[in-house]
Structures are given as structure tokens and as C-alpha cells.
Amino acid sequence: MNTLPATVPPRVWYAETPERVAADLQVDMSVGLSTAAAEAGLGVHGPNRISGRPPRPAWKKFLDQFRNVLVLVLIGAALLAGVVGDLKDAIVIAVVVLLNATLGFFQEHRAEAALSALKKMLAPVARVRRDGHPAEIPAEALVPGDILLLEAGDRIPADARVMRAHAAEVAEAALTGESQAVAKTPAAIPGTPPLAEQHNMVFMNTVVTRGRIEAIVCATGMRTEMGKLASLLAETPESATPLQVQLDALGTRLAAIAGLVVCLIFAIGILRGDALIDTVLTAIALAVAAIPEGLPAVVTVTLALGMHRMAKRHAIVKKLAAVETLGCTTVICSDKTGTLTLNQMTARRAWFLGRRFAVTGDGYAGAGTIMPEDDAPPPDWLPLLACAALCTDARIRDGELIGDPTEGALLALAARGGVDAPTLAGQQPRIAEIPFDSTHKFMATFHHDGALVRMWVKGAPDVLLTRACAHLTAAGEVALDTAAREDFAAHNTAFAQDALRVLMLAGRTIPAEDFDPAGDLMVWADGLTLLGLVGIIDPPRPEARDAIRICQHAGVAVKMITGDHRATAAAIARDLGLTGEVREGREIEGLTQPALATLVEGSAVFARVSPEHKLHIVEALKARGHVVAMTGDGVNDAPALKTADIGVAMGITGTEVSKEAATLVLTDDNFATIVGAVKEGRTIYDNIVKFVRFQLSTNIGAILTVVGAPLFGMPTPFTAIQILWVNIIMDGPPAMTLGVEPPRPGIMDAPPRPADGPILTRDRLWRLGLYGLTMAAGTLAAYAWGEHHGGHDYAVTLAFTTFVLFQFFNIFNARAEHESAFNRHFLSNGKLWSALFCVVALQILVVHWGPAQAIFDTVDLSLADWGLATLVAAGVLVLEEIRKLFSRWGR
């Protein structure tokens, strides 16, 4: 038939027979669509591609940098200065605002490329049957009703219903999280199976690992499962980080305080009869004093330095403000396959000659051993391992697997037992085979060996038990009696209970003259001799166990979220040290938000989950007040990665979509790297708090100085430019060096800080007020002394210099919040000392260089004046050390 329905209604294609699917889509399997019908379908359904929203223009992203309370207050101050004719202050403030915005724009500018990555993953070419002949067409030209012709290695270009399958398996881990390749059959499936159990469906962007498939396309573009994920990703909003929330709240409070004090000073000036322009300039100076202008720039640079350090430790942070989020993370939701596990199927147990054996070593390189679990010497492995090495279509090249992961596990097992598969294959060349098929559940290969043909078989234990008549023992082949059958069955059950995928290996010898490679090979599939059992699993990463233990010690819970089977997930969780309930995705469906949050809180493992389930789990944890990190590597992880407070993607095995959706990418795919990232995040937050304490104590000191001056009958001792100089230049470089302070001892022994906990606690505010009061009193005293001994210009310069030197000493108070600043780390930060000496040199330049004097309204000071300013400024450190000393005595 050459027509196509105008629309394809949503259908449960897996529940229908192949014949009904073909009839519904009006296509003949032997002919396929006609060119005309395909072109008509393309007009109806549109191209087979993932669509997305247009990216936000760069100019809008630049304007976003000005959506900040602190910046808006500064803009207002600049406009006001311009209105009253103070162009110098207006220009300087405007330049500072522009520099901060430019720095933030270039640091945080990152295009939303997740949807673009999805487009790139779409297979560029599809092999189809059209007009009765095979043809290759652009994947974008596929329409429902097209007949896909798929072979091993093909990336599937659209969602399709399997019509015919020949020993076919598809790797779906990137979509479902299933670690093992899934066998595909055309039979209809009743009920409502989850995506991972729809064995008669194939999905866009998954890969055929074995066999051949003919399938009818039933969904293209945004109607595919991949398209639905793209929609989820596009609709998922990005969350503000805890640091962003706290800094925004801090800025709002500072702006409110500044507004109140400015109004108060303005009212006092008017009531005293001061000139209007002088009152306005004083208000501008106070507004500038109240706002930590350096905060956006210094926080940005501190985070950038943290990004650089984390990158050297294999953790690349893509979103600047998210650097510190891991520091307050309370839950890490981790994908299993490829994240907590190696994503490499590995033999772990064996049953051979009536004995149990443990297998060590990971991966496909062959390193490791096969160790008896008893005290007897190892046997001759060749009968078992010859079957493992030869009954396979996979191969290992330079430690990398080409082919099916389960066959790779058997090849690696053979290598660990000293059997070289290529050499053995040369000695016993293959002459025929029975491919694996889900109907008979085994694979057999036939090999020429002199006067004999050796048949090697691997498959499901229950199937091969029914086809066997003998088994291999230490004494040779013996008849398979009831006791032996029960023994094999018991060990099969024991391996399966440990979540191992169990394969039985068997064989038989056939006289060469009796064997016809072109004949019916199934006649030889009975009368087998059982060789043994092999238990296979995707093992946990060795370093993941320690990483989870450290996370738990640091108060960070770890939850495994996977598309794999419940038993497999539970076994891996036990091995990793995860404790808690094991749930399946279907158990969270239909729950109310409170019930879901309670269930998620008490569970450690979630198996057989869909992308929507992952989203619900992350959202439930966030609703309980948790700061959630989500790790993953597959396309199916991308929406949850974007929803989490911080998404962590695997850089090696991760898909482009997961890496683009995440904010943190682990370049070594090592879960343990997250532990280092958590420590770095906590250290960064610690250092940002040090800067905030340092900067705000400066601002409090400036406010109290400007407010206190008129109360004591003095003019304002600072100009707006002088305050900007203190806040940007004098505070900036030393504050930036606080960002490279080493982590304090015991930083990973404490629980995570509350995400909604304020940066400024009452205790901190009290101490900052004390520092500010000390600086204000010292500065005003220096100003009064200068007025009495040298006039207004001299007094302003002396007060300005004293206030700058207060920052030199106050930074040591910020470095050590509770302990003495004079500790063994006092001289450890060479960058800090370099910055401090540069600051002093710049202040000397401002005071004594003519052009700078004209800008900053300063005059020369004598050496004695510098000594007096230094002595007064040192008081802020001395008084704090005395307070700390009494505080320690009182403990």
C-alpha cells in the first residue's frame, strides 16, 4: 500500500501484533513506503529532528548582569552625582559598574546547548526499505511507516516497532539505565511494561549490539521518547544556587539599610541648614559606602579560582555560581550504570568441577585471577575457558571491547585464566554457528579440531540443563543424574540471588565425518556435557565505596537511582555500603507530595525508574529542604541533572546531552572525584564568607564614619571616589587572595551548612559592628587631629590613609574567625602578603603622586603621619585578639 494516514494517533504499539501494526500504518513489510507516500508523510509529520527554543540573545544576557540590587543602587548613585554636577564621581562609579557587569558576563556566558547536543546525536543516515528496495536516506526524512533495516553497530534513528528480529540485542543504557543489552523480539507484550521492558520496541539514539532487526517507524522527532526528554529538558527551569539566594538577600538588606541611613543623613543636613549640593554629595558618599562594590567582582574571581583548582582535580564546573553549591549538598542522587559501577560486565563467580571460584579484576584488559574458594589447588581451566573464549562474536583489542558486554566478560575471564582467545581460535577455527535467539536462549559455535568438531555452547542454565546428558567432573565426563542437576540448579539460584547474571557453559565433541556445516545444526543441540556456571555483573567502582563512606561521614546522603533491576541495584548498593529501603519507580507513581517526600527520604535505592521518576525524586528531596546533587551519564539523566541544585555528568562515558545539562562534569568519570568537589565547595564558601566579613566590616566602618562625622560637627571625611578606592582597589586584591586560602582542618567532619542559613549570623554581625566601630572611631580621631594640626585637606588625607590601613590589619581578623590570627598559617598565603604590600604601595602613590592627588583630593603626608596612621589602624587587630583571648579563656 502506498498511502499513509494523515496523522498517527498515540498508540500502545508494543501491545499489538506485528500484522496489526503494519495494517494500522498502512504499509507492506516486503515493499515499504512509496517515495510519494514518504514525501506526503514528511509534510504531515515534519522532519525527524529534535526542536528547541531559540537561545537567549547575548545582549539580553549582558543586561541580566544589571539585575542586581547592589548594582542598581550604584547606578542610582552615579545618576544622582551626574545630576548635581559631580561628573568625576559619576564617571568613576559608572566605570566600576560596567567593569563588574562585563566580568560577570564573560565568566557566566554559556549557551544552552543541551537541545543542540540532542540534534547532533541523531543518526545522520537511515537504511530503509522503500518502493520494494533497500535505500539509504537522511534520518531527518524518516516518517511513521518507514521500514528500518538495522544491523549490529547501527544507531537507531527513530522509535520503531520490531517486526522481525534475528538474534538481536540493543544497548539502551543511555535511555533507560539498563546496564545489559536488551534482546528484541517481535511478539506483542500485554499490560503496561516500563520503557526498559518494552522488548519489541527500539528507540531513537540507542545502538544495536547484535543481530539484525526489521522495524516499522512509529514515532519521529519530538514524538519519540528522546523528543519527550528534550521537552522535559526545555521546560525544566534552572534553580538559583544557595549562594546566589544568600547574596541577593544580603544585597537587598544592605540596600534597605543604605536607603534608611541616606534619608536620615539627608534630613539631618537639611535641618542643620547645610547647602543642598553638599547634602546630596554626602548622601551619595554614604550610599557608596553602604554598598560593597567589590562583592560581585571578588565573588566572581574567587569562584573562578575555585573552578580552576577543581578542573585540575578532574571536575569541570560550567556554571560559575554553582561552584560552592556542593559545599552545602545534603543528598547526592547517583545513577548506577557507569557512575557507581564500571559499565563493564565482569565475571565474579564460577562453578566448575563441583567447586566454587572467585574472580578478581575489573574491565576487559584481563588483569586479575581465578581463585578457588577452598584449599585445593586450582584445576586445569581449559575445558571451561575454551568455551568462554570461542563461543563468542565479541573481541577485545588493546583492553577495549568490540561487541557484546556479556561476551566481553567471558573473554576477560578466559584471559584471567591464561587462555589467549585469538591463539585458541587459530587452533580451533570456527566452521559453523547457531546464533543466539530469545526463543532457544543459547548460542553455539562449531570448531574444527583435527578429526573432531568441537561444539561450544553458552546460554540460560534452565535451558541447557534440559539439553544435557552429562557433566564434567575431576574424574572426567559422567552422567548427569538428579543430584548433579540439583547441584547446578542450586548454584545457579545462589549466583542469581547475589544479582549475578548467570550463564551456563557446555560442549560436546562430534566426529568430523558426521558433521555437515550446511545441515540442520540444531540436531546437535541435545546430549550436551555441562562444563560449569559463570556469574557476571557490572561491578562497583572500587573507589566509589570509599567516596560514599566519606560522604556519609560528612553528613551527605547518597541515593542510587537506576533503570536496572531491583535485585541488581540492591546487590550493588549492599556492596557499596548504602543502607535504606529499596524501591521501584512504579511505587512512587500516584503518591501525594508529602507521601512521596517521606518515601524518598527513607529510601537508598530506586530501581526501574523512568526519567519522569527521577525528576519527581529530585523535586521531592528539594521540597524537603535538601540541596540535591544528581549524577549521571545518560540521556535519560539530563532533565534530573538540570532540575537538581547541581547536576554532575560523567565526562568520558557521559552523553553530550548529560554534559550540557549538568553544571559539573567529572573528566575521569570517578564518583570519588565528587568527594574532592564537596571539600572544594565547602572551602570556597568558607573563603567567600571570609571576604564578606572583611568587606562588610569595611562598609560598616565607612557608614559609621560618614554618619558619625556630622554628629560630631565635622564635614564628611571621604569623597565618593575615595570610598570606591577603598572598596574596589584597596579591598579587592587582598580579598581575592582569601579565595586561595587552604581548607581549614576538619572541614569534612562537620555536617553540611544549611542552604538557607544566612551568611551573616547574629554573632558575626556583632563582631562586624565592633570592627566597624573601631575603624570609625580611629578614622574620626585621625580626622579631628588632622583638622587641628594641618587643615581640611591634610585631615582628609590622614583620615583616608588611616581608613585604608585599617583594611591592612582587618583582613587578618577575617582570616581567623575564632582562633588567633597569629597561628602557624600566618605567613602561609604568599599571595595575600603580596597583595597587601601592593595595596600599601598604591596608597603611597595616591597620597604623594601629583596626578593622583588631583583625582583623590589628597596632599603629602610625613613619615610621622604614616606612623601615626599605622599605629591607630593596628588597633582593630589588637582589640580583636584581646577579645578572642578572653573568649577562649571563657570556654
Side-chain angles (χ1 to χ4, degrees), residues 704-709 712 714-715 717 775-785 799:
L704 293 177
T705 301
V706 173
V707 171
F712 289 100
M714 303 177 188
M775 288 187 275
T779 302
L780 291 176
Y783 181 82
W785 193 91

Side-chain angles (χ1 to χ4, degrees), residues 41 105 186 233 417 501 817:
F105 173 76
L233 199 58
R501 182 182 182 183
E817 186 171 14

Side-chain angles (χ1 to χ4, degrees), residues 110 303-304 306-320 322-323 326 646-652 658-670 673-674 676-677 680:
R110 177 175 63 89
L303 293 175
M307 288 176 69
H308 179 67
R309 290 195 302 273
M310 294 172 81
K312 291 196 292 187
R313 297 182 177 94
H314 309 292
I316 296 176
V317 182
K318 297 166 56 185
K319 185 177 179 182
L320 195 65
V323 173
L326 275 170
I646 185 163
V648 185
M650 302 296 113
I652 299 174
S658 67
K659 284 183 273 189
E660 291 298 339
T663 48
L664 178 69
V665 179
L666 305 183
T667 60
D668 58 356
D669 280 19
N670 190 339
T673 303
I674 297 176
E680 187 67 45

Side-chain angles (χ1 to χ4, degrees), residues 113-433:
L115 297 179
S116 297
L118 277 167
K119 294 176 188 176
K120 293 177 184 177
M121 293 176 69
L122 186 61
V125 175
R127 191 164 178 266
V128 299
R129 182 180 291 125
R130 281 190 180 175
D131 298 312
H133 303 287
E136 286 192 351
I137 64 171
E140 286 193 354
L142 283 173
V143 295
D146 261 321
I147 308 299
L148 288 177
L149 306 176
L150 302 167
E151 297 180 352
D154 288 347
R155 187 177 295 276
I156 297 167
D159 289 3
R161 172 66 161 83
V162 175
M163 306 299 279
R164 296 168 186 158
H166 306 276
E169 293 185 357
V170 177
E172 297 181 342
L175 181 65
T176 66
E178 173 66 64
S179 59
Q180 300 175 7
V182 179
K184 295 297 179 179
T185 65
I189 302 174
T192 55
L195 206 62
E197 295 177 7
Q198 295 177 17
H199 298 157
N200 58 10
M201 298 291 296
V202 291
F203 304 102
M204 177 190 282
N205 202 51
T206 57
V207 178
V208 181
T209 60
R210 180 205 294 269
R212 301 186 309 278
I213 296 174
E214 292 186 23
I216 295 183
V217 173
C218 54
T220 58
M222 297 301 289
R223 291 176 293 275
T224 63
E225 295 299 325
M226 198 67 61
K228 294 174 186 177
L229 283 174
S231 298
L232 279 175
L233 199 58
E235 295 166 4
T236 303
E238 291 191 10
S239 306
T241 70
L243 180 64
Q244 286 174 319
V245 173
Q246 292 184 10
L247 291 179
D248 286 346
L250 178 63
T252 302
R253 290 173 186 168
L254 289 175
I257 293 171
L260 287 174
V261 178
V262 165
C263 292
L264 178 64
I265 290 298
F266 192 83
I268 292 173
I270 296 298
L271 291 174
R272 289 197 321 178
D274 294 342
L276 179 62
I277 191 166
D278 291 338
T279 303
V280 171
L281 290 175
T282 300
I284 292 172
L286 186 57
V288 173
I291 300 301
E293 294 84 2
L295 183 60
V298 174
V299 168
T300 298
V301 172
T302 301
L303 293 175
L305 291 171
M307 288 176 69
H308 179 67
R309 290 195 302 273
M310 294 172 81
K312 291 196 292 187
R313 297 182 177 94
H314 309 292
I316 296 176
V317 182
K318 297 166 56 185
K319 185 177 179 182
L320 195 65
V323 173
E324 56 76 47
T325 306
L326 275 170
C328 61
T329 297
T330 57
V331 178
I332 299 176
C333 295
S334 176
D335 182 49
K336 177 184 75 69
T337 305
T339 306
L340 291 172
T341 65
L342 291 169
N343 199 19
Q344 296 178 337
M345 299 302 290
T346 305
R348 277 285 177 257
R349 299 272 182 81
W351 169 256
F352 179 54
L353 302 181
R355 299 168 59 190
R356 287 171 62 110
F357 300 87
V359 185
T360 64
D362 296 319
Y364 302 120
T369 57
I370 308 173
M371 302 291 295
E373 293 186 3
D374 53 33
D375 296 329
D380 176 12
W381 293 109
L382 187 59
L384 179 74
L385 299 186
C387 179
L390 296 179
C391 188
T392 176
D393 290 326
R395 61 187 184 279
I396 296 174
R397 180 184 298 161
D398 299 326
E400 297 294 326
L401 174 67
I402 302 172
D404 181 72
T406 300
E407 293 187 339
L410 293 178
L411 286 173
L413 175 68
R416 291 181 178 107
V419 173
D420 182 69
T423 301
L424 190 61
Q427 297 169 354
Q428 296 184 25
R430 184 188 299 191
I431 55 176
E433 67 178 78

Side-chain angles (χ1 to χ4, degrees), residues 591-617:
L591 294 180
T592 63
Q593 186 65 33
L596 175 61
T598 301
L599 181 143
V600 170
E601 187 78 35
S603 304
V605 179
F606 294 89
R608 309 306 278 171
V609 295
S610 68
E612 290 84 356
H613 293 148
K614 293 185 180 186
L615 270 177
H616 295 329
I617 291 168

